[in-house]
Amino acid sequence: AAGVIQSPRHLIKEKRETATLKCYPIPRHDTVYWYQQGPGQDPQFLISFYEKMQSDKGSIPDRFSAQQFSDYHSELNMSSLELGDSALYFCASSWRTSGNTDTQYFGPGTRLTVL
Amino acid sequence: TQLLEQSPQFLSIQEGENLTVYCNSSSVFSSLQWYRQEPGEGPVLLVTVVTGGEVKKLKRLTFQFGDARKDSSLHITAAQPGDTGLYLCAGALSGGTSYGKLTFGQGTILTVHP
């Protein structure tokens, strides 16, 4: 079965640079969630989209923005990167329209390292 | 303050033993999910429980959702070395404007020795 695809899997950036992370949800899934997981931490919710509209917002810095496109893929844009942004970034998708709204399937993650 | 308290955080047992991991909260969840995560990889869904008192079984794993939908447990029978890994519970809060976003427990690192 198709899973959530994230790219790139690994990304190394310098401080103050920008980064773009991409997420391709499971086919037919209409909702995308972004999470950040620091070393030894549990995943923290950043932001979510349903049918291309922002659905909910968590602890996402103002330096970060995200959107969901017409094909339901999503991109997380991160600017003015800081050392503390180094983490695993996960995308998860679900099929809200089906009514099974809370079952989220996670992608393999993007490991961002800021030097 | 952790919304979902998961315990124990570390568990080291011998092959063949049974174990239980707990997730507790003072909040009500519309659903609770259990994941297993390998280092550097994304959490893999094990089960979703949505009804208070619900019990689900997945081979040697038994998942239970509390009657009040505030707590959950994962019980593994006759643990095997292949069960070694990080187990995470995650809940979606009931009501309010937060729709579906998950709050995670701290995780339980399970090590099963041969």
Side-chain angles (χ1 to χ4, degrees), chain A residues 47-60:
Chain A
I47 195 167
S48 62
F49 293 88
Y50 167 62
E51 284 291 346
K52 293 148 278 184
M53 299 287 289
Q54 183 179 307
S55 177
D56 201 354
K57 201 170 182 180
S59 50
I60 184 170

Side-chain angles (χ1 to χ4, degrees), chain A residues 3 6 10 15 21 28 39 42 46 53 64 66 85 88 90-91 94 111-112:
Chain A
Q6 289 187 248
H10 302 275
K15 280 196 311 184
L21 279 55
R28 294 176 64 188
D42 53 275
L46 292 177
M53 299 287 289
F64 295 5
D85 296 330
L88 272 168
F90 292 109
C91 169
S94 68
R111 180 175 293 280
L112 172 67

Side-chain angles (χ1 to χ4, degrees), chain A residues 7-81:
Chain A
S7 68
R9 292 295 311 277
H10 302 275
L11 193 56
I12 299 175
K13 291 286 185 178
E14 300 279 340
K15 280 196 311 184
R16 293 179 289 279
E17 285 190 325
T18 62
T20 298
L21 279 55
K22 297 185 178 182
C23 168
Y24 298 86
I26 292 171
R28 294 176 64 188
H29 281 195
D30 51 20
T31 308
V32 166
Y33 305 82
W34 286 96
Y35 293 85
Q36 178 191 57
Q37 187 177 31
Q41 305 291 316
D42 53 275
Q44 297 293 315
F45 171 76
L46 292 177
I47 195 167
S48 62
F49 293 88
Y50 167 62
E51 284 291 346
K52 293 148 278 184
M53 299 287 289
Q54 183 179 307
S55 177
D56 201 354
K57 201 170 182 180
S59 50
I60 184 170
D62 292 340
R63 300 178 288 108
F64 295 5
S65 65
Q67 57 182 323
Q68 187 179 29
F69 295 86
S70 58
D71 64 351
Y72 294 99
H73 95 272
S74 178
E75 294 184 4
L76 177 66
N77 298 292
M78 310 160 72
S79 63
S80 302
L81 287 169

Side-chain angles (χ1 to χ4, degrees), chain A residues 9 31 33 35 37 40-45 48 55-58 88 90 96 100-109 111, chain B residues 2 30-31 33 35 37 39-45 48 50 86 88 92-93 97-107:
Chain A
R9 292 295 311 277
T31 308
Y33 305 82
Y35 293 85
Q37 187 177 31
Q41 305 291 316
D42 53 275
Q44 297 293 315
F45 171 76
S48 62
S55 177
D56 201 354
K57 201 170 182 180
L88 272 168
F90 292 109
R96 181 175 297 187
N100 188 16
T101 61
D102 300 330
T103 296
Q104 296 177 29
Y105 297 86
F106 282 75
R111 180 175 293 280
Chain B
Q2 193 82 12
S30 61
S31 69
Q33 297 164 50
Y35 294 87
Q37 185 178 23
E41 298 292 327
V44 175
L45 180 69
T48 301
V50 296
L86 172 65
L88 291 162
L93 285 171
T97 58
S98 297
Y99 201 90
K101 74 173 188 182
L102 293 178
T103 297
F104 283 81
Q106 304 99 315

